Amino acid sequence: MDDVIVVGAGPAGNNTALGLASKGYAVTVIDSGHNIGEKLCTGIVGQECTRRFPIDPALVYREASAAEMIAPYAGHVRIEASGPRARIIDRVAYVESFARRARAAGACYLLGQRVLQVIPQADGVTVITDEGRYRSRVLVLAAGFGSPLTRQLGLGTVPDYVTGAQAAVSTDGVSEVEVHLGHDVAPGFFSWLVPTSPGRALAGLLVRRQAQVHLDRFIQRQRREGKITSVIGTAACWGVPLRPLRRTYRDRVLVVGDAAGQVKPTTGGGIYYALLASEIASQTLAEALEADDLSAARLRRYQRRWKGLLSQELEVGYSARRLFEALTDRQISSLVRQAGANGLRYDLATCPDMAFDWHSRLIGKVMGHPVLGGALRLINPLLARLAHPPDPAFTFSTAPGNRPDSLADLSP
């Protein structure tokens, strides 16, 4: 019997396996895929993520300090930070690097096996795949969004999600990240062009429905404008959770990563939060294994710990996400226009809380803006209550260029 079976070889699963194997526990990772890390993703991670979980510089395509915002009535607005805030990376190789280190620490990997059933018992957990049966003292479920195993284990499903669609494309003249907004592009969400290597980029979007249809239209529009010259391979779709599971533990089981809904609801990014939650999972399990207490009462500490770290971000981000979905194209364009106003753009760019992975304080400061915040609070009072209160030390500048002309379009 292993100490731990991890189902899923994504960021959460690999890092949990690495943490536990490094402590001397017998760990087996089971994944239905044959190639580790092959999940659709834009591969954008914050600088904080790669500092805490180091990456081989050879896996970094480029650093990003600016993004071009494109909205229907606002044109192009460039938002630039004071320095690099994110890196565009080879996501597959980065995730595989965690698995390589976990193997070196003693973890065993069983690839190409689909887990059909998980049976928690009084003395362990039985995992049944399409190729065999395996036993462990405890199970970590890191099988990604939409796994039927969470429901099978009585933990339900994530209460809200969105669909992502993406394709690799050849480009001409795309050197910075572009974020496209508007109901004709991605209703309630956004689409993107993310340059990777020279002449290559990822084109994708998030939407509630008809993701492939909207992606085809987006690519066709960019081809007409000369930005995309061809599509490489075929596009693919995937699910992105917007809300976490209500419960991410039970006797002898923890749920981590996308399967638990530990994803930024503002952008759909999940790598950093998955790695952070997996650190907490491996620490909690090491303590529980040492105490030989794998009961739900003991493992509940995992949920308390990860929620203590991420809950504020998830709640504020989700409220902001729902607010954005309710905006019209004119309201979205007004926000983008005002974000591009000289003074406000400077305040946002130099704000120390403008972190790639932590959005609640920045959202709180936007809500504290005398005009932007007032209009947004009328549309969504809940967000005003949830958002982190502005730091008294931070104030928006009062230079004339920072005073919005009019936000009448933002009125409900």
Side-chain angles (χ1 to χ4, degrees):
M1 181 186 289
D2 284 324
D3 292 311
V4 185
I5 288 178
V6 178
V7 178
N14 290 334
N15 199 44
T16 304
L18 171 60
L20 289 165
S22 298
K23 291 179 173 65
Y25 291 103
V27 181
T28 293
V29 181
I30 304 175
D31 194 279
S32 60
H34 291 277
N35 299 312
I36 293 173
E38 284 193 349
K39 178 204 167 186
L40 288 164
C41 177
T42 57
I44 302 180
V45 295
Q47 297 280 41
E48 181 180 327
C49 175
T50 54
R51 283 196 300 268
R52 183 158 181 168
F53 303 98
I55 183 173
D56 184 339
L59 304 183
V60 179
Y61 292 126
R62 63 179 67 205
E63 293 186 326
S65 60
E68 194 87 9
M69 308 288 290
I70 303 169
Y73 303 104
H76 294 235
V77 173
R78 188 171 186 268
I79 304 295
E80 183 175 8
S82 55
R85 298 297 176 95
R87 291 178 172 181
I88 303 170
I89 65 170
D90 183 338
R91 192 258 188 201
V92 172
Y94 184 49
V95 173
E96 200 279 331
S97 70
F98 287 89
R100 185 169 60 251
R101 292 163 58 203
R103 281 190 172 115
C108 171
Y109 275 70
L110 302 177
L111 302 180
Q113 295 194 38
R114 184 173 298 279
V115 175
L116 305 176
Q117 189 176 7
V118 174
I119 307 172
Q121 297 157 315
D123 60 344
V125 180
T126 297
V127 176
I128 301 173
T129 76
D130 51 7
E131 293 189 20
R133 298 168 68 96
Y134 307 91
R135 292 268 294 162
S136 66
R137 295 169 65 190
V138 68
L139 175 93
V140 175
L141 181 56
F145 168 75
S147 170
L149 297 175
T150 57
R151 187 168 54 250
Q152 183 188 114
L153 288 165
L155 298 173
T157 58
V158 298
D160 196 9
Y161 69 95
V162 67
T163 302
Q166 182 172 271
V169 296
S170 297
T171 59
D172 184 12
V174 178
S175 59
E176 288 186 335
V177 174
E178 293 185 2
V179 179
H180 296 251
L181 306 168
H183 285 71
D184 285 344
V185 176
F189 291 83
F190 59 92
S191 59
W192 60 80
L193 270 176
V194 176
T196 53
S197 54
R200 296 288 181 94
L202 296 173
L205 49 76
L206 297 175
V207 287
R208 291 276 181 188
R209 54 185 63 87
Q210 294 185 310
Q212 187 63 58
V213 172
H214 285 290
L215 179 62
D216 290 342
R217 291 174 182 169
F218 175 65
I219 290 175
Q220 289 169 10
R221 184 179 294 112
Q222 301 311 307
R223 293 188 77 158
R224 288 195 298 270
E225 294 182 7
K227 292 182 179 179
I228 293 178
T229 57
S230 64
V231 178
I232 304 168
T234 58
C237 298
W238 74 103
V240 179
L242 296 178
R243 296 287 276 169
L245 287 178
R246 292 185 62 186
R247 189 173 175 185
T248 55
Y249 66 94
R250 57 160 293 171
D251 290 338
R252 297 186 180 274
V253 175
L254 293 184
V255 188
V256 188
D258 281 15
Q262 294 157 340
V263 172
K264 288 181 287 187
T266 47
T267 64
I271 293 177
Y272 189 37
Y273 285 10
L275 292 173
L276 291 172
S278 62
E279 271 194 339
I280 295 170
S282 61
Q283 176 189 349
T284 304
L285 284 178
E287 296 166 357
L289 287 163
E290 178 67 23
D292 196 23
D293 181 0
L294 298 165
S295 66
R298 177 74 185 223
L299 297 185
R300 185 180 182 182
R301 298 180 184 184
Y302 160 68
Q303 180 155 311
R304 286 203 303 266
R305 290 169 175 173
W306 79 254
K307 282 201 167 187
L309 178 65
L310 300 177
S311 183
Q312 172 80 1
E313 295 297 318
L314 299 182
E315 290 300 319
V316 173
Y318 185 71
S319 186
R321 155 60 42 217
R322 296 297 290 164
L323 166 61
F324 185 82
E325 286 189 71
L327 298 179
T328 66
D329 278 355
R330 289 195 177 276
Q331 291 170 336
I332 292 170
S333 298
S334 291
L335 287 175
V336 172
R337 246 191 338 265
Q338 300 309 327
N342 291 336
L344 181 55
R345 177 164 45 188
Y346 174 79
D347 285 336
L348 292 175
T350 58
C351 169
D353 290 323
M354 191 178 171
F356 185 82
D357 293 300
W358 308 103
H359 300 158
S360 66
R361 291 186 64 84
L362 180 61
I363 292 170
K365 286 172 179 176
V366 171
M367 295 301 291
H369 186 271
V371 178
L372 290 179
L376 292 172
R377 283 193 295 274
L378 287 174
I379 298 171
N380 189 341
L382 176 62
L383 179 58
R385 294 196 299 271
L386 287 175
H388 197 290
D391 186 337
F394 179 93
T395 57
F396 286 94
S397 63
T398 56
N402 192 35
R403 293 173 183 164
D405 298 328
S406 172
L407 281 186
D409 290 338
L410 276 172
S411 59

